[in-house]
Every structure is written in C-alpha cells, then in structure tokens.
Amino acid sequence: MIVPAALALYAVMAAVVLPRVLGRASWTSRAPRLAIGMWQAAGFSAVAAALLAAISLAVPTDLIGHGLARFFQACTELPDLSLNGVRAGLVIAALIAARLGWSVADVLVRTRRERRRHAEMLSLLGRRDGDLGAVVIEYGERAAYCLPGRHAQTVITTGALESLSPEQVAAVLAHEHAHLRGRHHLVLSGAEILVRAFPRVPLFERSRAELARLVELLADDVAARRHQRIHIATALVSLATGRVPAFALGAGGETALARVRRMLHPEAPLERRERLSGLLAVAGLLSGPAALVTVPGVTSFLAHHCHGLFS
C-alpha cells in the first residue's frame, strides 16, 4: 500500500502546490516555450500519478520487477490479494480513463463543429487576399485572428486594415501564422480537456489560463524574429479591445497591454544553466510517477536475482 499512497499524495501535491510554485515563477515570460512544456508536464504528471496509484492498488508493484512472465502470473495470484483493493483500484482507474476519454471527445467534437461553421461563414462573407495571405472580413471593429484546424485560415477585418500600417499588418499576420505553425490550438485544447475532466482542480484551472498567455508570448517572439518589435507593440495596442471567436486565437485580448510592455522592454533570455535546470524539471515531472512505480519492482528484482552475488 506504500506505493499507491505515495502516488496519491504526489497527485494531490501536484494539483495543489505546483500551480502556486509555477505561478510565482518570474522566468516564464523570458522562455515561454519552456514554460509551456513545464505546465504541460505538470498536468501530465498529476494525471499519471492518480492513474498509476489506482493501477498499483490493483497490482502490487514488486511483481513488475520479475518481468512480463511474472507479471502475467500475477493474474493467478490475485485471489490471494485483497479483493476489495483490487476492485477499488480497477474502478478508480476506469473512472479516470473514462473521464479523460469523455472530455477528449467532447472538446474535440465541439471545437471542430464550431470551427467548421465559422469556416463556412468566412467562405460566404470573407474574401481571400493573396498578397496578405489572409481572409478579409468587412467589419468595422479592429480584429485579427487565426482559425486552426484542417482548413486553417488567418483572418483580419477591414477595421484593422484601415487603422494599421502595412508594417503593423504584416507583424500581426506573422503572429497569427506562428499560432498555426506551432499548433498552439492543441496546447489549449489539452488544457481545456483536463479542466473539463477534472473541474475545480487548481493545477488545471491555472494551467489553462497560463497556457493561453504563454502561447501569445511565444507567437509574439516568433513574429519578432522577422518584424520590428515596435510594429508588433503598436499593433497590439490597436487590437487590444478586438473580439474574436472563443475557439480562435487572436492577436489582441486581455493580455495585449502586458505584451506591449514586453515587446518594448524585452528581457534577457534564459542562460544555458537556467534553461538546463528547466529541462531537468520538465523531465522530473514527466518521469516522477513512473519512477515511484518502478523503484519497488527494480528493488524486488535485484533482491531476488542478485542475492547470490552478495551472500
């Protein structure tokens, strides 16, 4: 029972403590790509720990150390184990998997339907501008966004075109193209899936908000490789109040003004040591639950097969 308890405690600590720790990190705006990986690893780690806790409750982890043959033989030994514990572990694991499966289907089907309807609307109301590489909509409100999916499109309104200079338009569209090339909608969909599967969990709620901010920072950085930061910043000011569909990714939004300051006063990127530390933290989060499960099995294997070497 030690391993299931340790994994369950790990899952709870990850769900409650990690959002506070990561939320206070001051380096995330300097390395948004690494920060995205950190939040994703944290979410994966919490779910994996909960799932492995349930599985290890049903199957003793020390049996894993004797290889697959011994693992399958464990099926014949289950009557000797606590039947209640086996049933509880299997039920919990099935519930976690079912919640995840339902949330994946719900989020993907809903967003695909909404994007398909919006794409149909764009085909009727918008016009393709080959020079811009975007669909232009006759609309007075200033807005620019991208519609991800199978038929990905970048969209800009006539209001935005009339208020922005050509350099600003190019910078904004580069931002949107960065979203599409980076498949940032998948990052946000993954965060939404966890929130729907396990509502009111602090880690998943905070992760959804942080990932939405970080993908915008990352797209800004990609656009800044080819366009002047001043053009990105001034375009963000103009588009800050623009509204875009909830299932799209837009250049403006609530984070626009904070991103303007970041564009005008860029911070130094992480040093190699800091980046390496971040990568090791991501690796630790990804491997932590599996390590808790395999250590007892490896210990059992060594005790059983290597005893003769030291006797």
Side-chain angles (χ1 to χ4, degrees):
M1 292 295 292
I2 295 178
V3 172
L7 285 166
L9 179 61
Y10 179 101
V12 172
M13 294 293 289
V16 176
V17 176
L18 279 181
R20 300 177 183 176
V21 174
L22 294 179
R24 289 197 297 265
S26 59
W27 58 268
T28 55
S29 62
R30 298 166 59 196
R33 192 186 303 276
L34 178 59
I36 289 171
M38 189 82 73
W39 280 102
Q40 289 180 310
F44 170 85
S45 190
V47 174
L51 187 59
L52 289 174
I55 294 174
S56 62
L57 187 64
V59 180
T61 54
D62 58 351
L63 297 178
I64 300 175
H66 299 291
L68 283 176
R70 180 60 175 161
F71 180 79
F72 287 119
Q73 184 184 347
C75 296
T76 64
E77 300 176 2
L78 289 180
D80 297 331
L81 305 173
S82 172
L83 191 57
N84 290 334
V86 172
R87 287 174 176 172
L90 294 177
V91 167
I92 294 172
L95 287 175
I96 294 174
R99 287 288 299 181
L100 279 173
W102 174 84
S103 299
V104 168
D106 178 60
V107 170
L108 295 184
V109 170
R110 177 175 50 82
T111 54
R112 179 175 296 180
R113 181 173 60 248
E114 291 173 340
R115 288 167 182 162
R116 183 176 63 250
R117 290 175 179 173
H118 195 74
E120 293 172 353
M121 183 273 292
L122 290 176
S123 66
L124 294 174
L125 302 179
R127 58 179 174 84
R128 181 74 183 179
D129 189 310
D131 294 332
L132 293 177
V135 174
V136 178
I137 298 180
E138 295 287 340
Y139 190 47
E141 185 171 321
R142 299 186 296 270
Y145 61 92
C146 64
L147 185 69
R150 181 177 300 177
H151 305 291
Q153 301 180 77
T154 303
V155 183
I156 190 167
T157 64
T158 53
L161 289 175
E162 292 168 358
S163 63
L164 300 177
S165 69
E167 293 81 9
Q168 292 169 338
V169 170
V172 165
L173 294 180
H175 172 101
E176 300 305 332
H177 292 151
H179 279 316
L180 295 177
R181 287 195 301 270
R183 298 184 179 275
H184 295 166
H185 63 289
L186 298 180
V187 174
L188 301 183
S189 293
E192 183 66 25
I193 286 169
L194 291 180
V195 170
R196 284 183 173 266
F198 311 106
R200 293 184 294 277
V201 175
L203 173 61
F204 303 147
E205 294 282 354
R206 184 65 181 271
S207 179
R208 178 173 60 178
E210 286 296 314
L211 288 173
R213 179 182 70 91
L214 290 167
V215 295
E216 295 300 333
L217 300 187
L218 181 55
D220 287 342
D221 289 345
V222 173
R225 295 173 187 170
R226 304 184 63 180
H227 300 274
Q228 295 183 30
R229 287 177 172 268
I230 185 63
H231 293 152
I232 299 173
T234 51
L236 288 175
V237 172
S238 181
L239 299 175
T241 59
R243 293 172 296 177
V244 301
F247 47 84
L249 292 91
E254 298 177 356
T255 63
L257 295 182
R259 288 158 50 208
V260 167
R261 291 192 293 269
R262 180 174 178 269
M263 281 289 100
L264 295 178
H265 305 286
E267 299 178 277
L270 295 183
E271 297 179 0
R272 181 178 298 181
R273 176 180 53 82
E274 295 173 312
R275 190 171 295 276
L276 179 60
S277 298
L279 291 174
L280 290 175
V282 170
L285 288 170
L286 293 175
S287 61
L292 287 175
V293 171
T294 56
V295 166
V298 172
T299 302
S300 175
F301 176 86
L302 293 175
H304 182 77
H305 294 281
C306 302
H307 177 71
L309 296 177
F310 302 98
S311 57

Coordinates of all heavy atoms in Angstrom, one line a residue, residues 88-120:
A88 N -11.3 -1.8 -6.0 CA -11.2 -0.4 -5.9 C -10.2 0.3 -6.9 O -10.5 1.3 -7.5 CB -10.9 0.0 -4.5
G89 N -9.1 -0.4 -7.0 CA -8.1 0.2 -7.9 C -8.5 0.2 -9.3 O -8.4 1.2 -10.1
L90 N -9.1 -0.9 -9.8 CA -9.6 -1.0 -11.1 C -10.7 -0.1 -11.4 O -10.8 0.5 -12.5 CB -10.1 -2.5 -11.4 CG -9.0 -3.5 -11.4 CD1 -9.6 -4.9 -11.7 CD2 -7.9 -3.2 -12.5
V91 N -11.6 0.1 -10.4 CA -12.8 1.0 -10.6 C -12.3 2.5 -10.7 O -12.7 3.2 -11.6 CB -13.8 0.9 -9.5 CG1 -14.8 2.1 -9.5 CG2 -14.5 -0.4 -9.6
I92 N -11.3 2.8 -9.9 CA -10.8 4.2 -9.9 C -10.1 4.5 -11.2 O -10.2 5.5 -11.8 CB -9.8 4.5 -8.7 CG1 -10.6 4.4 -7.4 CG2 -9.2 5.8 -8.8 CD1 -9.8 4.4 -6.1
A93 N -9.2 3.5 -11.6 CA -8.5 3.7 -12.9 C -9.5 3.8 -14.1 O -9.3 4.6 -15.0 CB -7.6 2.5 -13.1
A94 N -10.5 3.0 -14.1 CA -11.5 3.0 -15.1 C -12.3 4.4 -15.1 O -12.5 5.0 -16.2 CB -12.5 1.9 -15.0
L95 N -12.6 4.9 -14.0 CA -13.2 6.2 -13.9 C -12.4 7.3 -14.4 O -12.8 8.2 -15.1 CB -13.7 6.5 -12.4 CG -14.8 5.7 -11.9 CD1 -15.0 6.0 -10.4 CD2 -16.1 6.0 -12.7
I96 N -11.1 7.3 -14.0 CA -10.1 8.3 -14.5 C -10.0 8.3 -16.1 O -10.1 9.3 -16.8 CB -8.8 8.2 -13.9 CG1 -8.8 8.5 -12.4 CG2 -7.7 9.1 -14.5 CD1 -7.5 8.2 -11.6
A97 N -9.9 7.0 -16.6 CA -9.7 6.9 -18.0 C -11.0 7.3 -18.7 O -11.0 7.9 -19.8 CB -9.4 5.4 -18.4
A98 N -12.2 7.0 -18.2 CA -13.5 7.3 -18.8 C -13.7 8.8 -18.8 O -14.1 9.4 -19.8 CB -14.6 6.6 -18.0
R99 N -13.3 9.5 -17.7 CA -13.5 11.0 -17.6 C -12.6 11.6 -18.7 O -13.0 12.6 -19.4 CB -13.1 11.5 -16.3 CG -14.1 11.2 -15.2 CD -15.3 12.1 -15.3 NE -15.0 13.5 -15.2 CZ -16.0 14.4 -15.3 NH1 -17.3 14.0 -15.5 NH2 -15.7 15.7 -15.2
L100 N -11.4 11.1 -18.8 CA -10.4 11.7 -19.8 C -11.0 11.4 -21.2 O -11.0 12.4 -22.1 CB -9.1 11.1 -19.7 CG -8.2 11.7 -18.6 CD1 -6.9 10.9 -18.5 CD2 -7.8 13.1 -18.9
G101 N -11.4 10.2 -21.5 CA -11.9 9.9 -22.8 C -13.2 10.7 -23.2 O -13.2 11.2 -24.3
W102 N -14.1 10.9 -22.2 CA -15.3 11.7 -22.5 C -14.9 13.2 -22.8 O -15.4 13.8 -23.7 CB -16.2 11.7 -21.3 CG -17.4 12.6 -21.4 CD1 -18.6 12.3 -22.1 CD2 -17.5 13.9 -20.9 NE1 -19.4 13.4 -22.0 CE2 -18.7 14.4 -21.3 CE3 -16.6 14.7 -20.2 CZ2 -19.2 15.7 -21.0 CZ3 -17.0 16.0 -19.8 CH2 -18.3 16.5 -20.2
S103 N -13.9 13.7 -22.0 CA -13.5 15.1 -22.2 C -12.8 15.3 -23.5 O -13.0 16.3 -24.2 CB -12.6 15.5 -21.0 OG -13.3 15.4 -19.8
V104 N -12.0 14.4 -23.9 CA -11.3 14.5 -25.2 C -12.3 14.5 -26.3 O -12.3 15.4 -27.2 CB -10.3 13.3 -25.4 CG1 -9.9 13.2 -26.9 CG2 -9.2 13.4 -24.5
A105 N -13.3 13.6 -26.3 CA -14.3 13.6 -27.3 C -15.2 14.8 -27.3 O -15.5 15.4 -28.4 CB -15.2 12.4 -27.1
D106 N -15.6 15.3 -26.1 CA -16.4 16.5 -26.0 C -15.7 17.7 -26.6 O -16.3 18.5 -27.3 CB -16.8 16.7 -24.5 CG -17.6 17.9 -24.3 OD1 -18.7 18.0 -24.9 OD2 -17.2 18.8 -23.6
V107 N -14.5 18.0 -26.1 CA -13.7 19.2 -26.5 C -13.4 19.1 -28.0 O -13.7 20.1 -28.8 CB -12.4 19.3 -25.7 CG1 -11.6 20.4 -26.3 CG2 -12.8 19.6 -24.3
L108 N -12.9 18.0 -28.5 CA -12.6 17.9 -29.9 C -13.8 18.0 -30.9 O -13.7 18.7 -31.9 CB -11.8 16.6 -30.2 CG -10.5 16.5 -29.5 CD1 -9.8 15.2 -30.0 CD2 -9.6 17.7 -29.8
V109 N -14.9 17.3 -30.5 CA -16.0 17.4 -31.4 C -16.7 18.8 -31.4 O -17.0 19.3 -32.4 CB -17.1 16.3 -30.9 CG1 -18.4 16.5 -31.6 CG2 -16.5 14.9 -31.2
R110 N -16.8 19.4 -30.2 CA -17.4 20.7 -30.1 C -16.6 21.7 -30.8 O -17.1 22.5 -31.6 CB -17.5 21.1 -28.6 CG -18.1 22.5 -28.4 CD -18.3 22.7 -26.9 NE -17.1 22.4 -26.1 CZ -16.1 23.2 -26.0 NH1 -16.1 24.4 -26.6 NH2 -15.0 22.8 -25.3
T111 N -15.3 21.8 -30.6 CA -14.4 22.8 -31.3 C -14.4 22.6 -32.8 O -14.4 23.5 -33.5 CB -13.0 22.8 -30.7 OG1 -12.5 21.5 -30.8 CG2 -13.0 23.2 -29.3
R112 N -14.4 21.3 -33.2 CA -14.3 21.1 -34.7 C -15.6 21.5 -35.3 O -15.6 22.1 -36.4 CB -14.1 19.6 -34.9 CG -14.1 19.2 -36.4 CD -13.8 17.8 -36.6 NE -12.5 17.4 -36.2 CZ -11.9 16.2 -36.3 NH1 -12.6 15.2 -36.7 NH2 -10.7 16.0 -35.8
R113 N -16.8 21.3 -34.6 CA -18.0 21.8 -35.2 C -18.1 23.3 -35.2 O -18.5 23.9 -36.3 CB -19.2 21.2 -34.3 CG -20.6 21.6 -34.8 CD -21.7 20.9 -34.0 NE -21.6 21.3 -32.6 CZ -21.3 20.4 -31.6 NH1 -21.0 19.2 -31.9 NH2 -21.2 20.8 -30.4
E114 N -17.7 24.0 -34.2 CA -17.7 25.4 -34.2 C -16.8 26.0 -35.2 O -17.1 27.0 -35.9 CB -17.3 25.9 -32.8 CG -18.3 25.6 -31.7 CD -17.8 26.0 -30.3 OE1 -16.6 26.1 -30.2 OE2 -18.6 26.1 -29.4
R115 N -15.6 25.4 -35.4 CA -14.7 25.9 -36.4 C -15.2 25.7 -37.8 O -15.0 26.5 -38.7 CB -13.3 25.3 -36.2 CG -12.5 25.8 -35.0 CD -11.3 24.9 -34.7 NE -10.7 25.4 -33.4 CZ -9.9 24.7 -32.7 NH1 -9.6 23.4 -33.1 NH2 -9.3 25.2 -31.6
R116 N -15.8 24.5 -38.0 CA -16.4 24.3 -39.4 C -17.5 25.3 -39.7 O -17.5 25.8 -40.8 CB -16.9 22.8 -39.4 CG -17.4 22.5 -40.8 CD -17.9 21.0 -40.9 NE -19.0 20.8 -40.0 CZ -19.0 20.0 -38.9 NH1 -17.8 19.5 -38.5 NH2 -20.1 19.9 -38.1
R117 N -18.3 25.6 -38.8 CA -19.4 26.6 -39.0 C -18.8 27.9 -39.3 O -19.3 28.7 -40.2 CB -20.3 26.6 -37.8 CG -21.2 25.4 -37.6 CD -22.0 25.5 -36.3 NE -22.8 24.4 -36.1 CZ -23.5 24.1 -35.0 NH1 -23.5 25.0 -34.0 NH2 -24.3 23.1 -34.9
H118 N -17.7 28.3 -38.5 CA -17.1 29.6 -38.8 C -16.4 29.7 -40.1 O -16.5 30.7 -40.8 CB -16.1 29.9 -37.7 CG -15.7 31.3 -37.6 ND1 -16.5 32.3 -37.1 CD2 -14.5 31.9 -38.0 CE1 -15.9 33.5 -37.2 NE2 -14.7 33.3 -37.7
A119 N -15.8 28.5 -40.5 CA -15.2 28.5 -41.8 C -16.2 28.7 -42.9 O -15.9 29.3 -44.0 CB -14.4 27.2 -42.0
E120 N -17.4 28.1 -42.8 CA -18.4 28.2 -43.8 C -18.9 29.7 -43.8 O -19.1 30.2 -44.9 CB -19.6 27.3 -43.4 CG -19.3 25.8 -43.5 CD -20.4 25.0 -43.0 OE1 -21.3 25.5 -42.4 OE2 -20.3 23.7 -43.1

